[in-house]
Amino acid sequence: MGNGPYILWFDEVGLGDVPIVGGKNASLGEMRKALTKSGVNVPNGFAVTVNGYHAFLDKGIVHEWDERKSRPSIRENIREILSGLNVEDVEELSEKGSRVRRLLYSLEFPREVVEEIVKAYRKLCKEYGEDTDVAVRSSATAEDLPTASFAGQQETFLNIRGEYALIQACKRCFASLFTNRAISYRVHKGFDHFDVALSIGIQKMVRSDKA
């Protein structure tokens, strides 16, 4: 898992790409294609694809494990933490959810993913200006289904400037797939915790009074 492009620009995606960029990013791609031709200014941006999410889980670096010959699988660690969880027990849900998120915060992105995100951000800065401010938005691969709606469960971060802040916001977006609410909802709906993947939309912010 994690093979394939880590970055796709909104102009490159549409509704047929929900499995790789999620519902929100796919819709933004459709808007860019349909509305820009009509003179509507849809801010430019790009998606960190689900390949980036899988690479983060499967290839991310945890420093305290660096010197070991092998390290535990992040997915196995998450499953172990959440094993036997009673989501009706608010304290247990909070404690285990926090443990999973701390584990993900401790990960460093694989170098190749960071390089692709930074390269795309620099291209966006050439279009809009140095250290341009962006929205960093979660885009899940299963946001609206006939029997479940995952929309709004993951985080969005606004007014993010600079490469370091952008990478940290991306990490927090991926970790937000394991908020207490998201964990509980998947359990109630019978979804495995790894049935849902996450893409991230990174889009130039605009002031509504100057748009």
Side-chain angles (χ1 to χ4, degrees):
M1 304 179 88
N3 297 319
Y6 295 131
I7 298 296
L8 288 172
W9 289 85
F10 292 156
D11 292 336
E12 299 178 294
V13 301
L15 294 181
D17 299 301
V18 171
I20 192 170
V21 298
K24 187 181 285 94
N25 287 333
S27 296
L28 285 169
E30 291 288 338
M31 290 175 63
R32 283 276 299 179
K33 292 174 183 178
L35 299 181
T36 302
K37 293 183 290 187
S38 302
V40 178
N41 183 17
V42 179
N44 200 8
F46 58 93
V48 181
T49 69
V50 298
N51 298 317
Y53 169 73
H54 291 308
F56 178 64
L57 290 186
D58 297 331
K59 302 177 184 178
I61 300 168
V62 179
H63 286 299
E64 57 265 32
W65 291 337
D66 283 355
E67 296 180 359
R68 299 184 183 182
K69 293 182 179 179
S70 63
R71 66 172 175 81
S73 159
I74 295 299
R75 295 175 193 267
E76 290 173 1
N77 269 263
I78 292 173
R79 288 194 187 280
E80 182 179 349
I81 292 170
L82 298 179
S83 176
L85 170 64
N86 176 11
V87 295
E88 305 301 331
D89 185 330
V90 176
E91 290 186 4
E92 182 185 10
L93 175 61
S94 177
E95 188 271 332
K96 290 196 171 187
S98 179
R99 284 177 60 192
V100 172
R101 293 190 297 276
R102 286 200 307 270
L103 173 64
L104 296 177
Y105 296 153
S106 73
L107 281 177
E108 286 192 13
F109 275 97
R111 179 178 297 179
E112 62 269 24
V113 179
V114 171
E115 289 175 349
E116 289 297 310
I117 295 173
V118 167
K119 180 181 177 181
Y121 178 65
R122 288 176 180 174
K123 183 177 178 180
L124 201 64
C125 289
K126 285 184 179 180
E127 181 177 352
Y128 291 109
E130 184 178 359
D131 281 345
T132 194
D133 54 335
V134 293
V136 182
R137 310 173 67 190
S138 301
S139 180
T141 56
E143 292 190 337
D144 292 297
L145 300 173
T147 58
S149 177
F150 296 86
Q153 292 186 12
Q154 284 76 50
E155 298 287 358
T156 287
F157 301 94
L158 304 179
N159 296 306
I160 301 299
R161 292 177 179 269
E163 296 168 8
Y164 176 80
L166 176 57
I167 295 300
Q168 296 308 306
C170 287
K171 181 187 293 189
R172 296 188 73 85
C173 275
F174 282 156
S176 75
L177 199 54
F178 291 90
T179 61
N180 300 343
R181 176 188 173 199
I183 292 169
S184 176
Y185 189 79
R186 287 194 294 269
V187 170
H188 280 130
K189 291 295 183 178
F191 283 82
D192 184 90
H193 292 297
F194 296 104
D195 281 346
V196 181
L198 198 70
S199 171
I200 299 170
I202 297 169
Q203 185 177 31
K204 173 70 176 86
M205 294 201 66
V206 296
R207 286 179 52 175
S208 60
D209 60 337
K210 292 188 176 183

